[in-house]
Amino acid sequence: MSRKLFIAGNWKMNKTASEAAEDVSKFIDLALGVAGKINIALCPPFTALDRVSLILENTGVELGAQNLSEVESGAYTGEVSAAMLRDLNVKYVIVGHSERRQYFGETDEVVSLKANRALQSGLLPIICIGETLEEREANKTFEVIQAQMKGSFAGISKEDMLKTTIAYEPIWAIGTGKTATPEQAQEVHAFIRKIISETYGAKTAAHVIIQYGGSVKAANSGELMAMPDIDGALVGGASLDPVGFAELIKNALQVATE
Ligand code: PEP
């Protein structure tokens, strides 16, 4: 079964709306030729979504957000709802990024509420999971991944699972320059697909996109995408530079289609 590569750029808390608009325009010029062959999403901060949304119209590059509230609306100062994102033509939303889990106390339960809220509202969640260095060194990677999937994917139906992207992001590889080797990543991706197969069936498992995240750059995107269960990437630091991000995408696409 061939799955279309999906590469998303997570800009985290970087770029003002004006900076984002300028960089998105540059990126579009460079990436327009590949936008149909691969799914691409840019996830700027909330404050830049409106302006970036207008620039992305009819380009084939999709808009993503980095977070959403688990509740529908109301007196929740500072929160942003799924409906607000939908209104700006946001298609994807990152849920349960390790930085949200680590710095903002998001538990698997909160992650599952957010993922379900996204799905109910017509947004496509990118659910992040991954182990710490200590957990990997203690040979607990599979145990941790299994527990995170059980908790973070709670309540997601088979139909909704097909709309969900999983990002495997080993925490020790995020923003550290240390990438998992293609073999290390493939081993965990295959394990994730096996769990999806056991929970939702082999057909669903064969369709679900599993991205790798953790210091992906132009120099290693090809070798990672060459692995059978790696279907794309969630890219942090290397997505900030439009030239480098376009190159990363082209390298990934070239290897995946060889
Ligand atoms: C991320 O934050 O999702 C990420 C993978 O970051 P980086 O690419 O910078 O490691």
PDB file of all heavy atoms in Angstrom, residues 5-6 15 17 55 80-81 86 92 106 109 113 150 163 193 205 221 223 237 248:
ATOM      1  N   LEU A   5       3.434  10.834   1.093  1.00  0.00           N
ATOM      2  CA  LEU A   5       4.275  11.465   2.116  1.00  0.00           C
ATOM      3  C   LEU A   5       3.599  12.725   2.667  1.00  0.00           C
ATOM      4  O   LEU A   5       2.972  13.471   1.911  1.00  0.00           O
ATOM      5  CB  LEU A   5       5.607  11.911   1.513  1.00  0.00           C
ATOM      6  CG  LEU A   5       6.763  10.941   1.372  1.00  0.00           C
ATOM      7  CD1 LEU A   5       7.991  11.723   0.936  1.00  0.00           C
ATOM      8  CD2 LEU A   5       7.057  10.196   2.653  1.00  0.00           C
ATOM      9  N   PHE A   6       3.773  12.938   3.946  1.00  0.00           N
ATOM     10  CA  PHE A   6       3.189  14.126   4.577  1.00  0.00           C
ATOM     11  C   PHE A   6       4.261  14.795   5.447  1.00  0.00           C
ATOM     12  O   PHE A   6       4.711  14.224   6.435  1.00  0.00           O
ATOM     13  CB  PHE A   6       1.977  13.720   5.418  1.00  0.00           C
ATOM     14  CG  PHE A   6       1.352  14.855   6.205  1.00  0.00           C
ATOM     15  CD1 PHE A   6       1.464  16.179   5.799  1.00  0.00           C
ATOM     16  CD2 PHE A   6       0.637  14.592   7.368  1.00  0.00           C
ATOM     17  CE1 PHE A   6       0.894  17.217   6.522  1.00  0.00           C
ATOM     18  CE2 PHE A   6       0.061  15.623   8.104  1.00  0.00           C
ATOM     19  CZ  PHE A   6       0.194  16.937   7.680  1.00  0.00           C
ATOM     20  N   LYS A  15       8.528  33.587  14.802  1.00  0.00           N
ATOM     21  CA  LYS A  15       8.032  34.440  13.713  1.00  0.00           C
ATOM     22  C   LYS A  15       6.767  35.219  14.112  1.00  0.00           C
ATOM     23  O   LYS A  15       5.770  34.641  14.529  1.00  0.00           O
ATOM     24  CB  LYS A  15       7.724  33.636  12.434  1.00  0.00           C
ATOM     25  CG  LYS A  15       8.915  32.867  11.851  1.00  0.00           C
ATOM     26  CD  LYS A  15       8.529  32.248  10.520  1.00  0.00           C
ATOM     27  CE  LYS A  15       9.462  31.128  10.101  1.00  0.00           C
ATOM     28  NZ  LYS A  15      10.752  31.549   9.619  1.00  0.00           N
ATOM     29  N   ALA A  17       3.621  37.655  12.770  1.00  0.00           N
ATOM     30  CA  ALA A  17       2.750  37.462  11.602  1.00  0.00           C
ATOM     31  C   ALA A  17       3.421  38.026  10.335  1.00  0.00           C
ATOM     32  O   ALA A  17       3.339  37.418   9.257  1.00  0.00           O
ATOM     33  CB  ALA A  17       1.395  38.118  11.855  1.00  0.00           C
ATOM     34  N   ILE A  55      -2.314  33.571   2.215  1.00  0.00           N
ATOM     35  CA  ILE A  55      -1.221  33.322   1.252  1.00  0.00           C
ATOM     36  C   ILE A  55      -1.280  31.880   0.724  1.00  0.00           C
ATOM     37  O   ILE A  55      -0.941  31.613  -0.426  1.00  0.00           O
ATOM     38  CB  ILE A  55       0.155  33.601   1.907  1.00  0.00           C
ATOM     39  CG1 ILE A  55       0.212  35.054   2.398  1.00  0.00           C
ATOM     40  CG2 ILE A  55       1.300  33.327   0.944  1.00  0.00           C
ATOM     41  CD1 ILE A  55       1.400  35.374   3.277  1.00  0.00           C
ATOM     42  N   VAL A  80      -7.871  28.813  22.488  1.00  0.00           N
ATOM     43  CA  VAL A  80      -8.298  28.946  21.090  1.00  0.00           C
ATOM     44  C   VAL A  80      -9.083  27.688  20.712  1.00  0.00           C
ATOM     45  O   VAL A  80      -8.618  26.563  20.930  1.00  0.00           O
ATOM     46  CB  VAL A  80      -7.067  29.132  20.165  1.00  0.00           C
ATOM     47  CG1 VAL A  80      -7.472  29.088  18.705  1.00  0.00           C
ATOM     48  CG2 VAL A  80      -6.364  30.450  20.473  1.00  0.00           C
ATOM     49  N   SER A  81     -10.284  27.884  20.187  1.00  0.00           N
ATOM     50  CA  SER A  81     -11.159  26.732  19.929  1.00  0.00           C
ATOM     51  C   SER A  81     -10.988  26.159  18.525  1.00  0.00           C
ATOM     52  O   SER A  81     -10.467  26.826  17.618  1.00  0.00           O
ATOM     53  CB  SER A  81     -12.626  27.143  20.108  1.00  0.00           C
ATOM     54  OG  SER A  81     -13.045  27.912  18.998  1.00  0.00           O
ATOM     55  N   ARG A  86     -10.958  26.426  12.402  1.00  0.00           N
ATOM     56  CA  ARG A  86     -11.661  26.043  11.167  1.00  0.00           C
ATOM     57  C   ARG A  86     -12.026  27.276  10.346  1.00  0.00           C
ATOM     58  O   ARG A  86     -11.934  27.286   9.118  1.00  0.00           O
ATOM     59  CB  ARG A  86     -12.946  25.267  11.509  1.00  0.00           C
ATOM     60  CG  ARG A  86     -12.694  23.870  12.014  1.00  0.00           C
ATOM     61  CD  ARG A  86     -12.576  22.873  10.900  1.00  0.00           C
ATOM     62  NE  ARG A  86     -13.850  22.686  10.257  1.00  0.00           N
ATOM     63  CZ  ARG A  86     -14.007  22.277   9.011  1.00  0.00           C
ATOM     64  NH1 ARG A  86     -12.962  22.046   8.272  1.00  0.00           N
ATOM     65  NH2 ARG A  86     -15.204  22.107   8.504  1.00  0.00           N
ATOM     66  N   TYR A  92      -5.038  20.992   9.701  1.00  0.00           N
ATOM     67  CA  TYR A  92      -4.393  20.084  10.664  1.00  0.00           C
ATOM     68  C   TYR A  92      -4.174  20.787  11.999  1.00  0.00           C
ATOM     69  O   TYR A  92      -4.038  22.016  12.050  1.00  0.00           O
ATOM     70  CB  TYR A  92      -3.021  19.636  10.144  1.00  0.00           C
ATOM     71  CG  TYR A  92      -3.081  18.836   8.871  1.00  0.00           C
ATOM     72  CD1 TYR A  92      -2.865  19.455   7.630  1.00  0.00           C
ATOM     73  CD2 TYR A  92      -3.345  17.473   8.892  1.00  0.00           C
ATOM     74  CE1 TYR A  92      -2.916  18.726   6.445  1.00  0.00           C
ATOM     75  CE2 TYR A  92      -3.392  16.734   7.712  1.00  0.00           C
ATOM     76  CZ  TYR A  92      -3.179  17.366   6.500  1.00  0.00           C
ATOM     77  OH  TYR A  92      -3.231  16.646   5.341  1.00  0.00           O
ATOM     78  N   GLU A 106       0.273  18.672  29.802  1.00  0.00           N
ATOM     79  CA  GLU A 106      -0.749  17.907  29.067  1.00  0.00           C
ATOM     80  C   GLU A 106      -0.540  16.402  29.266  1.00  0.00           C
ATOM     81  O   GLU A 106       0.525  15.868  28.970  1.00  0.00           O
ATOM     82  CB  GLU A 106      -0.717  18.260  27.575  1.00  0.00           C
ATOM     83  CG  GLU A 106      -1.283  19.635  27.323  1.00  0.00           C
ATOM     84  CD  GLU A 106      -1.509  19.938  25.839  1.00  0.00           C
ATOM     85  OE1 GLU A 106      -1.420  19.040  24.992  1.00  0.00           O
ATOM     86  OE2 GLU A 106      -1.767  21.125  25.561  1.00  0.00           O
ATOM     87  N   GLU A 109      -4.683  11.960  28.818  1.00  0.00           N
ATOM     88  CA  GLU A 109      -6.136  12.188  28.851  1.00  0.00           C
ATOM     89  C   GLU A 109      -6.493  13.506  28.144  1.00  0.00           C
ATOM     90  O   GLU A 109      -7.426  13.560  27.337  1.00  0.00           O
ATOM     91  CB  GLU A 109      -6.607  12.205  30.307  1.00  0.00           C
ATOM     92  CG  GLU A 109      -8.102  12.101  30.409  1.00  0.00           C
ATOM     93  CD  GLU A 109      -8.621  12.379  31.812  1.00  0.00           C
ATOM     94  OE1 GLU A 109      -7.811  12.412  32.766  1.00  0.00           O
ATOM     95  OE2 GLU A 109      -9.834  12.596  31.927  1.00  0.00           O
ATOM     96  N   LEU A 113      -8.656  14.150  24.677  1.00  0.00           N
ATOM     97  CA  LEU A 113      -9.794  15.086  24.599  1.00  0.00           C
ATOM     98  C   LEU A 113      -9.580  16.072  23.455  1.00  0.00           C
ATOM     99  O   LEU A 113     -10.498  16.390  22.692  1.00  0.00           O
ATOM    100  CB  LEU A 113      -9.963  15.852  25.915  1.00  0.00           C
ATOM    101  CG  LEU A 113     -10.468  15.044  27.122  1.00  0.00           C
ATOM    102  CD1 LEU A 113     -10.405  15.876  28.395  1.00  0.00           C
ATOM    103  CD2 LEU A 113     -11.896  14.556  26.876  1.00  0.00           C
ATOM    104  N   LYS A 150      -2.483   4.110  23.995  1.00  0.00           N
ATOM    105  CA  LYS A 150      -3.722   3.709  24.666  1.00  0.00           C
ATOM    106  C   LYS A 150      -4.416   4.956  25.247  1.00  0.00           C
ATOM    107  O   LYS A 150      -5.614   5.152  25.083  1.00  0.00           O
ATOM    108  CB  LYS A 150      -3.378   2.709  25.773  1.00  0.00           C
ATOM    109  CG  LYS A 150      -4.569   2.040  26.360  1.00  0.00           C
ATOM    110  CD  LYS A 150      -4.167   0.766  27.110  1.00  0.00           C
ATOM    111  CE  LYS A 150      -5.401   0.105  27.678  1.00  0.00           C
ATOM    112  NZ  LYS A 150      -5.467   0.182  29.126  1.00  0.00           N
ATOM    113  N   LYS A 163      -8.288   9.555   9.741  1.00  0.00           N
ATOM    114  CA  LYS A 163      -8.092  11.005   9.554  1.00  0.00           C
ATOM    115  C   LYS A 163      -6.972  11.522  10.450  1.00  0.00           C
ATOM    116  O   LYS A 163      -6.689  12.717  10.493  1.00  0.00           O
ATOM    117  CB  LYS A 163      -9.389  11.745   9.898  1.00  0.00           C
ATOM    118  CG  LYS A 163     -10.564  11.350   9.038  1.00  0.00           C
ATOM    119  CD  LYS A 163     -11.806  12.072   9.525  1.00  0.00           C
ATOM    120  CE  LYS A 163     -13.045  11.530   8.854  1.00  0.00           C
ATOM    121  NZ  LYS A 163     -14.255  11.842   9.596  1.00  0.00           N
ATOM    122  N   ARG A 193       2.583   0.809  13.993  1.00  0.00           N
ATOM    123  CA  ARG A 193       1.626   0.294  13.003  1.00  0.00           C
ATOM    124  C   ARG A 193       1.027  -1.040  13.475  1.00  0.00           C
ATOM    125  O   ARG A 193      -0.143  -1.326  13.237  1.00  0.00           O
ATOM    126  CB  ARG A 193       2.295   0.157  11.622  1.00  0.00           C
ATOM    127  CG  ARG A 193       1.263   0.233  10.503  1.00  0.00           C
ATOM    128  CD  ARG A 193       1.877   0.227   9.102  1.00  0.00           C
ATOM    129  NE  ARG A 193       2.789   1.297   8.797  1.00  0.00           N
ATOM    130  CZ  ARG A 193       2.420   2.561   8.518  1.00  0.00           C
ATOM    131  NH1 ARG A 193       1.150   2.896   8.521  1.00  0.00           N
ATOM    132  NH2 ARG A 193       3.330   3.482   8.246  1.00  0.00           N
ATOM    133  N   ALA A 205      -4.517   0.184   9.580  1.00  0.00           N
ATOM    134  CA  ALA A 205      -3.084   0.370   9.881  1.00  0.00           C
ATOM    135  C   ALA A 205      -2.286   0.658   8.617  1.00  0.00           C
ATOM    136  O   ALA A 205      -1.344   1.452   8.634  1.00  0.00           O
ATOM    137  CB  ALA A 205      -2.538  -0.863  10.583  1.00  0.00           C
ATOM    138  N   SER A 221      16.613  13.823   5.513  1.00  0.00           N
ATOM    139  CA  SER A 221      15.191  13.533   5.253  1.00  0.00           C
ATOM    140  C   SER A 221      15.034  12.368   4.272  1.00  0.00           C
ATOM    141  O   SER A 221      14.131  11.546   4.410  1.00  0.00           O
ATOM    142  CB  SER A 221      14.471  14.776   4.728  1.00  0.00           C
ATOM    143  OG  SER A 221      15.018  15.208   3.508  1.00  0.00           O
ATOM    144  N   GLU A 223      17.035   9.634   3.723  1.00  0.00           N
ATOM    145  CA  GLU A 223      17.286   8.284   4.281  1.00  0.00           C
ATOM    146  C   GLU A 223      16.186   7.879   5.252  1.00  0.00           C
ATOM    147  O   GLU A 223      15.837   6.703   5.349  1.00  0.00           O
ATOM    148  CB  GLU A 223      18.667   8.209   4.947  1.00  0.00           C
ATOM    149  CG  GLU A 223      18.855   9.170   6.097  1.00  0.00           C
ATOM    150  CD  GLU A 223      20.277   9.188   6.655  1.00  0.00           C
ATOM    151  OE1 GLU A 223      21.225   8.942   5.893  1.00  0.00           O
ATOM    152  OE2 GLU A 223      20.426   9.451   7.864  1.00  0.00           O
ATOM    153  N   GLY A 237      12.941  22.956  13.921  1.00  0.00           N
ATOM    154  CA  GLY A 237      13.967  23.935  13.571  1.00  0.00           C
ATOM    155  C   GLY A 237      14.208  24.094  12.077  1.00  0.00           C
ATOM    156  O   GLY A 237      14.300  25.217  11.569  1.00  0.00           O
ATOM    157  N   LEU A 248      14.643  20.163   2.046  1.00  0.00           N
ATOM    158  CA  LEU A 248      14.319  18.970   2.851  1.00  0.00           C
ATOM    159  C   LEU A 248      13.180  18.184   2.189  1.00  0.00           C
ATOM    160  O   LEU A 248      13.230  16.958   2.058  1.00  0.00           O
ATOM    161  CB  LEU A 248      13.929  19.446   4.255  1.00  0.00           C
ATOM    162  CG  LEU A 248      13.557  18.465   5.356  1.00  0.00           C
ATOM    163  CD1 LEU A 248      13.738  19.125   6.728  1.00  0.00           C
ATOM    164  CD2 LEU A 248      12.161  17.913   5.246  1.00  0.00           C
TER     165      LEU A 248
END
